[in-house]
Amino acid sequence: SGLGNGQFEAVWPKQSGFSFPGDAKSLTFIDWNADAKPDVLISRNNDPLLAFENQPNDGAKSITLILEGSQRNPQAIGTRIVAILNDQSSLTQEIYAGASYLSQSSPRIHINIPMDKMLKEIQIHWSDSTQSKHAISTNGDSFIRLKKPKKR
């Protein structure tokens, strides 16, 4: 259960509202409807896929980052992204290979911005230790493509 400050309180699966019958094998995040909000797919043994469309109702915004890595690492696997908000708090995500049993989440990074905050800057720590900073001016629900700078 979200506490509203970036922290969560543990709850039993049935209390969470996210408990389903069957033998679940994987959970992946993907934006299948291209609205810049991450949606969820769950696969189960011998059962149909479960698909959940993200429909936030609290005014929160989402930014989707599409990173263009190097020729040897085009999906920028191992890159760490830090989103700096207007109150100097930060949100950190990483692009990784592998997610769940026989599945892979999208290499696109979804940053959910609380409704009372604004995104100020994106700091990228590329997998080869190159770093870049990007001032961002958007109200959210948008796609931003960023390219890895050439290593000097």
Side-chain angles (χ1 to χ4, degrees):
S1 174
L3 299 175
N5 62 358
Q7 303 294 313
F8 291 89
E9 176 183 13
V11 296
W12 290 102
K14 288 192 179 199
Q15 292 175 312
S16 74
F18 207 72
S19 178
F20 307 96
D23 184 15
K25 289 297 180 188
S26 68
L27 179 140
T28 57
F29 295 96
I30 186 166
D31 182 10
W32 73 71
N33 57 357
D35 65 353
K37 294 175 180 65
D39 305 305
V40 176
L41 290 175
I42 298 175
S43 70
R44 303 175 295 165
N45 272 347
N46 301 317
D47 281 314
L49 278 174
L50 297 174
F52 299 90
E53 182 180 358
N54 188 345
Q55 298 179 341
N57 59 3
D58 62 359
K61 300 290 184 183
S62 181
I63 303 294
T64 298
L65 295 178
I66 304 163
L67 300 185
E68 294 180 18
S70 66
Q71 186 176 6
R72 297 176 88 184
N73 185 5
Q75 292 185 325
I77 303 295
T79 297
R80 186 167 36 105
I81 298 95
V82 180
I84 307 297
L85 303 178
N86 61 326
D87 65 354
Q88 298 306 313
S89 63
S90 64
L91 306 166
T92 303
Q93 294 199 35
E94 186 172 328
I95 299 176
Y96 52 90
S100 289
Y101 176 75
L102 296 177
S103 66
Q104 171 66 47
S105 291
S106 169
R108 294 179 176 194
I109 292 293
H110 301 281
I111 299 171
N112 295 311
I113 304 165
M115 66 180 179
D116 60 336
K117 297 188 173 40
M118 292 182 61
L119 181 61
K120 179 180 169 186
E121 179 181 79
I122 298 288
Q123 299 174 356
I124 302 178
H125 304 267
W126 300 90
S127 61
D128 66 356
S129 71
T130 304
Q131 295 185 22
S132 59
K133 293 183 180 184
H134 309 269
I136 303 294
S137 60
T138 180
N139 289 332
D141 292 345
S142 60
F143 294 87
I144 298 171
R145 185 176 298 271
L146 299 172
K147 191 170 187 170
K148 182 188 172 306
K150 301 252 188 242
K151 196 169 184 178
R152 295 179 189 164

